[in-house]
Structure formats: C-alpha cells, structure tokens
Amino acid sequence: MLGKLYLIPTTLGDNEPLEVMPISVKKVVEQIDYYVVENEKTARRFIKKIHPKKAQDSLQIMMLDKYAEEIETRSYLDICAEGISVGLLSEAGVPAVADPGATIVRLAHEKGIQVVPLVGPSSILMAMMSSGMNGQSFAFNGYLPIDAAKRKKTIKDLERLSKEKNQSQIFIETPYRNEKLFTDLKSTLTPSTLLCIAADITLSTEYIKTKHAKDWKQEQPDLHKRPAIFIIHKEY
C-alpha cells in the first residue's frame, strides 16, 4: 500500500497551533517523520510546538524553496512506494494555495498517491468570509505588479472585472509594500468601490475592515510588515 501525502496547515503567526486548528493536525504530525517544507527552521519550530516530544533528529526534511531543482523534487514522494506517508508544510496557512507546494500535490496525483488535505487557517478564505463581499463568486489574483504604473492599471482592470462579473477580487502584497499598495488603491479606485483590508488574521492584533474607497481616505491603518489580504468589489 502506498503512503499518503498529507497537506498540513500551519499557523498564520506566532500563536498556539491548537488554538486555530483541530486535533487531527497534531495526530498526523505525531505519525509522520518525512516532510516537504519551504523553510526548514520554521518547519521544525512548528513541529516542535505542536508535538514537543517528537525527536528532531528523526525528521527527514526535503526542501521546496527557490533553490530546489525539479529533478530533485520529483523524487520527494518516492518514499511513499514503501508505504511511508509524507507531510507537506506551508510556510504559513494552508499548503499549495499561494504556495509552491502545488507542484508536490500535482506530483502525488501523477504517481497515484492519495492526497489528504487537513483543516487549518487560510488567510484568503478567512478574509473573504469576513469581508461582507460576494462569497458566491470571487477570484484570488496573487501579487499585483511592482511597477507603480502597471499596478494602478491592474487595480483598474480588476475593478472593472469585479463590476462586469459581480465578482470580488482578492490579492496580496509583500508586507513591507502594503502601505504603497494601500495608497494606490485609495487614489485609483472609484469612490463607491468596496475595499476590505484584513491584516494579522487569527492573531491578537487582527484587523479586518470593509469600507467604500472614499471612506478609506480618512483612515490610515498601520499595515507595515503585517501580513494582509486586500479585496475589492465594485457594485455599480
């Protein structure tokens, strides 16, 4: 029998794992010693936090960072042929969504290995849930362009798409560029367009607000170096 690929969620910040995810995650971590991770240090810290008694020297860590070669990563699930299961850990939140782990999940399907997703916090879905926007139709667009002119054009394009399809548009930014993006949103969006900002989701500093673009001009939340999700929706 083949081993399985478990998609193991991690916390969105420095909080206790079992405050934001079910006991089933702990049970799986207790059983697995083979992991595919983006950052070994933070992965080991998470495993130790959720299961302090697990011996760190028993862990077999396979890296999936920007230096990982495809020819190497294609061997990461070979161990499943021996009936041994592998855990895929995201750097934050759920694996394979806005995360390089999708390549490993696709590899599992190619090899006929069962993929088992575990319940955990997704900043994208949690922001959408709490935005008050269209939960029946929404799209995640990843990162917007770094170039200011291209970024503003993309914002207008997404705003237009939102109106045409009645579809909420979700995107993210590198935390240290959040404030530049927020400035561009305020200057580019139509005054009546809804904008949700959701930062530090699940943390004690959690901040989630939805307002019309014109109303955000009177407010300047501190978004510097805080993980944040942005959602826009133009209704008319």
Side-chain angles (χ1 to χ4, degrees):
M1 183 179 294
L2 292 174
K4 301 175 183 178
L5 175 65
Y6 286 91
L7 310 186
I8 303 173
T10 58
T11 56
L12 296 174
D14 191 23
N15 46 8
E16 290 300 319
L18 296 183
E19 289 181 0
V20 294
M21 57 187 68
I23 195 69
S24 57
V25 174
K26 182 176 187 294
K27 290 179 179 178
V28 168
V29 171
E30 288 174 351
Q31 299 168 5
I32 292 178
D33 287 329
Y34 285 79
Y35 292 90
V36 179
V37 309
E38 191 175 355
N39 183 297
E40 181 172 359
K41 184 177 180 180
T42 56
R44 286 183 177 276
R45 186 186 304 135
F46 171 77
I47 293 168
K48 184 177 181 65
K49 202 167 188 179
I50 202 168
H51 184 42
K53 293 183 179 179
K54 181 177 281 288
Q56 288 288 315
D57 58 5
S58 72
L59 300 178
Q60 303 295 315
I61 303 293
M62 295 166 281
M63 297 300 299
L64 189 66
D65 58 15
K66 62 183 179 180
Y67 302 109
E69 298 288 342
E70 183 181 358
I71 192 170
E72 179 184 10
T73 59
R74 289 195 65 83
S75 69
Y76 283 177
L77 300 183
D78 289 355
I79 194 71
C80 292
E82 301 176 27
I84 297 173
S85 293
V86 174
L88 176 63
L89 276 174
S90 176
E91 182 69 2
V94 296
V97 178
D99 176 86
T103 59
I104 300 300
V105 177
R106 185 166 63 248
L107 178 63
H109 287 295
E110 289 176 9
K111 291 178 173 289
I113 295 167
Q114 183 180 350
V115 176
V116 184
L118 301 180
V119 175
S122 164
S123 59
I124 298 167
L125 285 179
M126 295 178 81
M128 189 64 230
M129 288 164 57
S130 51
S131 69
M133 297 188 197
N134 191 357
Q136 299 294 330
S137 180
F138 54 88
F140 176 62
N141 299 278
Y143 293 90
L144 301 192
I146 295 175
D147 178 78
K150 292 180 180 178
R151 184 168 59 242
K152 289 180 180 181
K153 181 182 183 301
T154 301
I155 291 170
K156 293 303 292 184
D157 289 344
L158 291 176
E159 185 181 44
R160 183 173 60 256
L161 185 63
S162 175
K163 181 181 179 182
E164 290 173 356
K165 293 191 172 185
N166 188 28
Q167 184 181 69
S168 299
Q169 302 295 322
I170 309 170
F171 43 93
I172 55 178
E173 182 53 281
T174 302
Y176 68 84
R177 287 201 293 261
N178 279 338
E179 293 182 340
K180 287 184 179 179
L181 174 58
F182 181 52
T183 298
D184 287 344
L185 287 168
K186 288 192 293 183
S187 65
T188 306
L189 291 173
T190 302
S192 61
T193 294
L194 288 170
L195 167 62
C196 174
I197 298 175
D200 290 348
I201 293 176
T202 74
L203 304 182
S204 60
T205 53
E206 184 177 82
Y207 175 93
I208 304 173
K209 282 191 178 182
T210 297
K211 296 183 178 186
H212 291 103
K214 60 183 174 60
D215 297 322
W216 277 113
K217 292 180 183 294
Q218 311 304 320
E219 194 161 338
Q220 183 63 47
D222 178 13
L223 301 175
H224 186 56
K225 292 187 177 180
R226 297 172 71 183
I229 302 289
F230 300 85
I231 311 175
I232 62 173
H233 195 114
K234 186 173 185 179
E235 297 175 303
Y236 51 86

